[in-house]
Amino acid sequence: MWSLIARLPLYRAFRRWGFPRLLPANVAVNLLYACNSRCLTCNVYDRHVKMLTPDELDRVFRSLGRAPVWVTLTGGEPFLRKDIPEIAAALYRRCRPAVVAIPTNGTFPDRVVDDMTAIATAAPRTRWVLNLSLDEIGERHDAIRRTPRNWELAMETYRGLRALRIPNLTVGLHVCISRFNAERFPEIHRALAALEPDSLIAEMAEARGELLNASADIAPSTAAYTRAIDELTVDLRRRRARGIPRILRALRLEYYALTTEFLRRQEQIVPCMAGWMSAHIGADGEVWTCSTRAEPLGNLRETGYDFRAVWFSARARALRDSIRRRECACPMASAAYTSLLADWASLARLAREYVGIGARAA
């Protein structure tokens, strides 16, 4: 993580002048688009592509090398891929990221527990973050996910993961705040906090090209979202954390402040670093600056899995120019975290928050 901090001036120079040319530090990888849930906020399962194989992904990871610090292995539902331990092992061998996050709907308890045991124990120098997506409680959660027994199975998965006690495995809960749950968020938050997860995070539902949900009415009202964020902020400040979890908590506090400001202004609050510091790789090898625009820079299958050939292409430069001109804006968390790190004012607030949290946790 500290190596990323040292690279921040170089990323800022890359954004401003196009040099030095750097590979992204934050990479999200769709392992597939298929999903057994039919969430009210997402239609990603309507994407039908030929997925990258483990061998193809190994070549992609080799091309990225040690540049990625944070990687997200996402879906669809990632654990529909029975080869996820093989893919995770290739990622660890080639890239050795500090943190890898994997979201899941939790509907495959035995598979998730077994796979995360194999993944985390075989890769001890990476922090593995398994986030269970929970948007409501009980049958209300099943209704949002349009999946019978989703809550019941997710709770079974959670209990199994918590029983593992693997030092480099973090078990978190993730809530998507939408118009379907925003008014009830305080009650939802209290119920999920009572489960005592390692982390409890939330993001705002939004239209994203990746999710094919542009026509869906899913965003929460500004008032309801602000109330939800206020509660999360108070809860975060009460929680004790050390090391990387403390850094992540400081980042989330800054992100929550950014999203509420975004709702008010509807513009880039800090210069967006998607396309410089962060990237998204689709399940079929398409490379995007981010999953909100989801506009392909090129396809890795067409470049022999050479990430550099896509990342430094003319198409990539054109999209970066558009982002730099602030022709788009969104609250998407993955890109926002790296953008906050690269913004000097935000970084100063993060440092103060980190020190302040440390003082309270001591």
Side-chain angles (χ1 to χ4, degrees), residues 39-42 135-136 140-141 143-146 176-185 188 205 216-221:
C39 303
L40 294 172
T41 57
C42 174
D135 297 333
E136 251 286 4
R140 287 189 175 99
H141 176 68
I144 290 177
R145 295 303 174 103
R146 293 189 287 189
C176 178
I177 303 176
S178 69
R179 74 176 184 87
F180 306 109
N181 63 3
E183 296 295 340
R184 277 181 35 83
F185 184 81
I188 296 166
D217 179 16
I218 61 175
S221 70

Side-chain angles (χ1 to χ4, degrees), residues 232-250:
L232 272 170
T233 298
V234 170
D235 180 66
L236 268 176
R237 292 190 185 282
R238 284 199 304 258
R239 292 177 176 265
R240 302 170 70 89
R242 297 183 183 278
I244 287 179
R246 189 192 301 174
I247 297 171
L248 297 181
R249 181 165 63 177

Side-chain angles (χ1 to χ4, degrees), residues 5-44:
I5 300 298
R7 277 185 276 163
L8 291 178
L10 300 178
Y11 277 113
R12 287 172 59 90
F14 182 23
R15 189 183 194 276
R16 183 169 183 178
W17 296 298
F19 186 85
R21 301 197 307 178
L22 302 172
L23 295 178
N26 176 7
V27 181
V29 183
N30 284 103
L31 298 183
L32 75 175
Y33 297 126
C35 188
N36 58 317
S37 292
R38 291 295 181 266
C39 303
L40 294 172
T41 57
C42 174
N43 301 314
V44 71

Side-chain angles (χ1 to χ4, degrees), residues 6 12-13 34 43 56 63 72 103 113 119 122 136 176 197 208-209 223 248 266 280 286 323 334 360:
R12 287 172 59 90
N43 301 314
E56 288 178 305
S63 177
T72 302
V113 171
I119 289 169
E136 251 286 4
C176 178
R208 282 163 47 183
L248 297 181
Q266 295 292 312
H280 197 112
E286 281 194 348
I323 295 167
S334 179
R360 286 190 292 274

Side-chain angles (χ1 to χ4, degrees), residues 1 3 7 24-27 29 61 64-73 87-101 119 123-129 168 244:
M1 188 68 72
S3 66
R7 277 185 276 163
N26 176 7
V27 181
V29 183
F61 297 150
L64 284 165
R66 296 299 178 91
V69 174
W70 180 294
V71 176
T72 302
L73 299 179
I87 294 168
L91 172 63
Y92 184 72
R93 182 173 63 252
R94 300 296 190 184
C95 302
R96 200 61 59 86
V99 180
V100 177
I119 289 169
R125 295 177 62 184
T126 287
R127 167 65 57 177
W128 298 89
V129 182
N168 61 320
I244 287 179

